[in-house]
Amino acid sequence: EPEVTQTPSHQVTQMGQEVILRCVPISNHLYFYWYRQILGQKVEFLVSFYNNEISEKSEIFDDQFSVERPDGSNFTLKIRSTKLEDSAMYFCASKGQHNSNQPQHFGDGTRLSIL
Amino acid sequence: GNSVTQMEGPVTLSEEAFLTINCTYTATGYPSLFWYVQYPGEGLQLLLKATKADDKGSNKGFEATYRKETTSFHLEKGSVQVSDSAVYFCGAGGTGFQKLVFGTGTRLLVSP
């Protein structure tokens, strides 16, 4: 079964540094998402992306965050200047069709640790 | 917007016990409802879903019914196994390209 793949599985970064988290969605999917899960807390929506633009973003997704689909396969989340509170598990998800109730498929996540 | 409330964990059961994890939602309209499971060190895997009132989702012995009158989507399993130990997340939304809104997750611990 096709999968969403995320790299790296674990990223350790100094506070203030830029970090890029990478995702390869399922190949025929059109809708892409980032969520995050701070340790022990709920999974929170960050941003959705369709047709090369952001569809919706949460209040967490401030100017420090950006997303990009640089080619036909990758979907990246960039954090420009990381803060301690950005430490979390980041999940990428993708979905195939618009007018359907098909589920979002999630990757295994990238654990981001800010020192 | 949508919101989801699910019971606090951990839920600790012996093998073959009956499981219920409660989930209620608030929404404008009628969202799709989902249960995802997260095994240790892994991502979120779809367990089951229901897209309209009275739909029952089922998978691997787990069931949940979309109850519009009580705005609930409780997860049940008749006989849990040690391998069911994981964190279970109830989610709402996801229609079209809508975001998913999750509950806080419920950790299930099953002992032999």
Side-chain angles (χ1 to χ4, degrees), chain A residues 2-111:
Chain A
E3 291 182 342
V4 175
T5 56
Q6 292 185 241
T7 55
S9 56
H10 191 190
Q11 174 79 46
V12 181
T13 302
Q14 292 288 331
M15 187 172 60
Q17 296 296 304
E18 175 183 286
V19 67
I20 297 175
L21 309 182
R22 302 182 191 278
C23 170
V24 179
I26 294 172
S27 63
N28 62 347
H29 282 189
L30 302 175
Y31 301 89
F32 313 112
Y33 309 82
W34 284 101
Y35 294 81
R36 80 171 185 191
Q37 183 184 27
I38 294 172
L39 186 63
Q41 298 186 26
K42 67 166 67 177
V43 177
E44 302 173 291
F45 168 77
L46 291 178
V47 66
S48 58
F49 190 87
Y50 168 70
N51 200 26
N52 282 320
E53 59 183 30
I54 290 172
S55 305
E56 185 180 358
K57 58 183 181 179
S58 71
E59 55 274 13
I60 302 167
F61 194 89
D62 62 21
D63 291 345
Q64 294 301 311
F65 290 86
S66 62
V67 289
E68 195 177 34
R69 189 156 161 80
D71 53 41
S73 59
N74 289 284
F75 178 52
T76 61
L77 174 69
K78 182 193 289 186
I79 309 174
R80 248 178 289 281
S81 177
T82 49
K83 303 187 282 285
L84 292 176
E85 53 266 37
D86 294 327
S87 295
M89 182 75 92
Y90 288 80
F91 292 106
C92 174
S94 71
K95 176 174 172 170
Q97 297 178 29
H98 176 63
N99 289 318
S100 78
N101 295 309
Q102 287 194 2
Q104 294 175 21
H105 295 261
F106 285 77
D108 283 346
T110 293
R111 180 170 299 284

